[in-house]
Amino acid sequence: MNEAKDTRSSGGRSRRGVLKAAVVVGTGAAVGGGGVARAEERRCREPVFVCVHGAAGNSHAWTPVLAELALRGHKAVAVDLPGHGAGAYYPVAYQTPQDLEALRSEPSPLGKVTLADFAAHVVGVVRRASRLGAVVLVGQSMGGATLNAVANQVPELVSHLVYASAFCPTRHASVRELMSTPEASTSALARLDVVPTPPELGVTRVNWRSGDPAFFAAAKEALAADRPDSAVRALLATLEPDESAEAGTADCRGIPEKWGRVPRTFLRFTRDRTVPLALQDLMIREADAATPGNRFRVRSLAAPHAGPRDPAVWADELELAAGACR
């Protein structure tokens, strides 16, 4: 059973029993913005959940959650960031049989993709989703950097931000800076071998298909230590080998007068060994210090970095986040 509790303020709403559609959206077309009054009007409408994956991930990770939200009568959107999902690049050397030497140097289109590209894509989705209801923008892990960038651009279109053990830079400029803090020193990522690619490739590359038992053990510890080996293998099979290196180094601090206007929730994963609890708490403290009048609503879940296994737990928390600002 996953532990869940409020550590600051709480809010709630009942589940809805009418079946509506779950929608998977790609790119979006621009529509006009609003102002503070119009933003408040949006926050009074039915929620539409826009979910953003983390590094090396894709929209597949959200599929069980989308299904659960749909069965509860909600609209839900899972985003594939540029260079991910259907647009992902799998190096030839990554295929079977693998060429581990060539894998160190094979170029990837993701080397030219930036956090600004991620944000522009999600802004397009948010613009379309905002026509359907009050946008609850959800990000997991490194997806939090994209949440910051989007909320800095279109805070009037976002009703609520949900950081699922996700990076939320405010005082520290980037994901890399946060991972360089003492609070991140126990991260299991330090024990996860990455492919040593030259900097000019512009990617962080991980061989998730490695047959090395030591690699598998390190990946399990980092992502889902509470799951059986079969479930971890299934998880690794969904991950992509390349991630944009620039996305982890880009300045994505939440701007108080923009990002800081949007109500927000932090889902604090107490068993996370990739983003240690101390680092999660540091990000919460620094964000609250940046906007003392709009502090995180914090929820604690007994979950690893991959999050709760039960999609109903996810849906419960997202419903509470949607209800917190109503």
Side-chain angles (χ1 to χ4, degrees):
M1 179 82 59
N2 283 290
E3 155 195 287
K5 65 179 180 179
D6 279 333
T7 57
R8 305 254 173 120
S9 60
S10 65
R13 62 192 294 269
S14 61
R15 298 183 184 180
R16 301 182 183 279
V18 181
L19 180 63
K20 297 181 182 177
V23 185
V24 178
V25 178
T27 57
V31 296
V36 174
R38 192 168 179 185
E40 291 304 318
E41 289 175 7
R42 286 193 177 90
R43 289 171 186 152
C44 292
R45 296 188 292 160
E46 290 298 307
V48 54
F49 299 94
V50 177
C51 302
V52 180
H53 61 79
N58 50 59
S59 61
H60 174 80
W62 292 107
T63 300
V65 182
L66 294 183
E68 180 65 23
L69 289 170
L71 290 170
R72 296 184 183 198
H74 299 297
K75 299 180 181 72
V77 178
V79 178
D80 278 320
L81 294 174
H84 296 76
Y89 178 77
Y90 291 84
V92 173
Y94 186 66
Q95 310 308 313
T96 303
Q98 290 191 320
D99 184 338
L100 298 182
E101 187 60 36
L103 193 59
R104 296 173 178 234
S105 58
E106 185 173 337
S108 170
L110 261 175
K112 299 184 182 300
V113 176
T114 66
L115 182 65
D117 295 324
F118 290 173
H121 181 74
V122 177
V123 165
V125 175
V126 166
R127 289 192 188 280
R128 292 183 65 182
S130 67
R131 300 173 182 175
L132 305 175
V135 173
V136 178
L137 185 58
V138 187
Q140 187 174 10
S141 188
M142 195 164 149
T146 300
L147 261 61
N148 275 22
V150 171
N152 281 341
Q153 292 182 42
V154 289
E156 72 280 0
L157 297 182
V158 181
S159 173
H160 203 88
L161 294 164
V162 179
Y163 293 78
S165 196
F167 290 97
C168 181
T170 49
R171 190 173 72 82
H172 294 83
S174 66
V175 172
R176 184 172 69 177
E177 283 195 15
L178 284 166
M179 288 301 292
S180 299
T181 62
E183 288 80 2
S185 62
T186 62
S187 174
L189 283 184
R191 295 181 287 281
L192 187 67
D193 287 339
V194 299
V195 178
T197 56
E200 57 267 24
L201 256 61
V203 297
T204 301
R205 180 168 288 166
V206 179
N207 184 10
W208 302 110
R209 295 177 180 171
S210 171
D212 182 356
F215 174 87
F216 179 83
K220 178 175 179 176
E221 180 186 8
L223 302 176
D226 65 335
R227 302 187 187 183
D229 287 357
S230 59
V232 176
R233 284 192 290 271
L235 170 62
L236 297 184
T238 69
L239 299 180
E240 299 169 3
D242 291 346
E243 185 53 80
S244 163
E246 191 274 349
T249 61
D251 189 333
C252 54
R253 283 173 285 191
I255 300 171
E257 59 270 24
K258 296 180 179 179
W259 157 88
R261 291 161 39 192
V262 185
R264 60 183 185 261
T265 291
F266 199 99
L267 300 184
R268 185 174 174 268
F269 292 172
T270 62
R271 297 177 182 172
D272 194 333
R273 298 179 185 176
T274 288
V275 183
L277 199 56
L279 179 57
Q280 295 176 58
D281 290 341
L282 174 69
M283 291 187 288
I284 293 167
R285 289 196 305 272
E286 291 184 347
D288 288 351
T291 58
N294 180 28
R295 299 167 66 85
F296 263 117
R297 173 185 169 277
V298 181
R299 297 278 293 173
S300 293
L301 302 174
H305 190 65
R309 294 186 68 185
D310 185 353
V313 174
W314 277 105
D316 286 346
E317 293 303 323
L318 297 184
E319 285 185 326
L320 286 171
C325 57
R326 295 170 75 81

